[in-house]
Amino acid sequence: MTEKLHAPVIAWFDAHARDLPWRRPEAGPWGVMVSEFMLQQTPVNRVLPVYEEWLARWPRPADLAKEAPGEAVRAWGRLGYPRRALRLHGAAVAITERHGGDVPTDHAQLLALPGIGEYTAAAVASFAYGQRHPVLDTNVRRVIARAVTGVQYPPNATTAAERRLARELLPEDERTAARWAAASMELGALVCTAKNEGCGRCPIAGQCAWRLAGKPEHSGPPRRGQTYAGTDRQVRGKLLAVLREAHAPVPQAVLDRVWHEPVQRARALDGLVADGLVEPLPGGLYRLPLG
């Protein structure tokens, strides 16, 4: 079963993969790592301009490590989930201090970097260094759930059973395994999407367990939808937008104008301070963090 999946999906990827800058040889391991941080919960079209600007400004980890962490937050722009910018800055500092400025090739060393979890370590090892690791993002999990397990959607959180199945599905050859990781991810992003799946364009539609079962409706726990309007996330984003645009500390009164509800506004600002994204100063002033 597994071998029958690999060849058609990889052949489809060879013909249909998007030309993305982090897939080009000149991106290097650092470019791959930056893309993986940025692409978490953010679509490709929003990432592309920020990614290009980031790599032009900080082409190596040491270039970013020399900057204040607040500059990473500023350059992150409106990608959302800005703690990722602080984590990427922290990883750059650790790479510079521990690995001579080169993204480590060893999976365990990648995993030991601050801000890098199981998925990112596997993705960098696979996509940057061609190693054999299961790379389980939302798209891959959905492809495996449908093609192999026969269900419409994977569980809300990655399970041990999913990890085990993903390892079993890996091709033995390292280069093929790395190609399979990228190809199955692209298939989930472009064809086997969460809604309006394109089975007519799918290279493995003929052996997809979910399709062959008649596409049964999802019967597990309700899938989590993402809301934004009116949430603390929206307020945090508005506060950070003001601080990103400012190149001097910002008075509390200026931040008070961004959101009408004072309790939620104060909670959002306190959260930004607690997360290290905003630095409070004497006299009711705030700025992006310097250290």
Side-chain angles (χ1 to χ4, degrees):
M1 170 65 179
T2 57
E3 292 79 5
K4 291 180 181 178
L5 291 175
H6 298 151
V9 172
I10 291 172
W12 171 87
F13 183 65
D14 290 342
H16 299 284
R18 290 168 291 180
D19 178 21
L20 300 172
W22 45 86
R23 288 180 177 161
R24 298 170 194 158
E26 60 268 25
W30 173 238
V32 171
M33 179 176 284
V34 170
S35 76
E36 288 301 332
F37 272 80
M38 290 185 173
L39 288 164
Q40 293 166 21
Q41 299 177 291
T42 306
V44 165
N45 63 333
R46 287 181 56 204
V47 165
L48 281 168
V50 181
Y51 173 89
E52 300 278 14
E53 291 169 8
W54 191 285
L55 268 295
R57 182 174 177 182
W58 299 309
R60 288 183 51 77
D63 301 317
L64 176 58
K66 287 186 288 192
E67 297 268 18
E71 285 305 300
V73 176
R74 195 188 311 278
W76 198 255
R78 303 192 75 87
L79 284 182
Y81 302 98
R83 275 178 288 184
R84 292 178 294 168
L86 288 183
R87 291 172 184 150
L88 184 50
H89 182 274
V93 171
I95 289 167
T96 304
E97 293 175 349
R98 301 178 199 169
H99 303 288
D102 294 321
V103 176
T105 60
D106 181 73
H107 179 264
Q109 290 179 330
L110 286 166
L111 200 53
L113 294 172
I116 293 203
E118 172 191 2
Y119 165 78
T120 305
V124 173
S126 179
F127 301 151
Y129 294 120
Q131 295 176 15
R132 183 179 182 271
H133 296 282
V135 183
L136 275 175
D137 83 332
T138 304
N139 291 311
V140 175
R141 293 176 63 224
R142 187 168 56 252
V143 167
I144 292 175
R146 291 175 179 174
V148 182
T149 314
V151 296
Q152 186 177 16
Y153 299 117
N156 283 333
T158 308
T159 65
E162 283 183 282
R163 293 188 183 94
R164 185 167 56 250
L165 179 56
R167 285 194 297 270
E168 291 170 359
L169 287 171
L170 275 179
E172 288 300 322
D173 173 66
E174 274 208 326
R175 184 179 178 281
T176 309
R179 200 71 179 157
W180 159 255
S184 54
M185 186 176 294
E186 189 79 334
L187 186 67
L190 298 184
V191 175
C192 193
T193 55
K195 298 176 181 178
N196 303 318
E197 63 280 350
C199 297
R201 297 179 289 120
C202 180
I204 52 172
Q207 52 188 301
C208 172
W210 180 57
R211 180 176 168 274
L212 292 173
K215 294 188 177 180
E217 290 287 327
H218 177 65
S219 60
R223 299 179 68 237
R224 293 192 295 259
Q226 289 197 340
T227 57
Y228 184 71
T231 63
D232 283 8
R233 268 189 63 218
Q234 184 183 22
V235 185
R236 284 163 62 103
K238 287 180 175 291
L239 292 167
L240 272 183
V242 173
L243 292 162
R244 277 199 309 270
E245 293 298 320
H247 291 275
V250 175
Q252 174 82 52
V254 173
L255 295 177
D256 286 347
R257 295 182 202 138
V258 308
W259 194 253
H260 60 282
E261 209 289 301
V263 173
Q264 188 179 25
R265 187 179 64 233
R267 183 171 67 239
L269 183 57
D270 287 347
L272 289 170
V273 171
D275 288 342
L277 288 161
V278 172
E279 193 174 310
L281 300 172
L285 298 172
Y286 294 86
R287 69 182 178 196
L288 296 179
L290 293 182

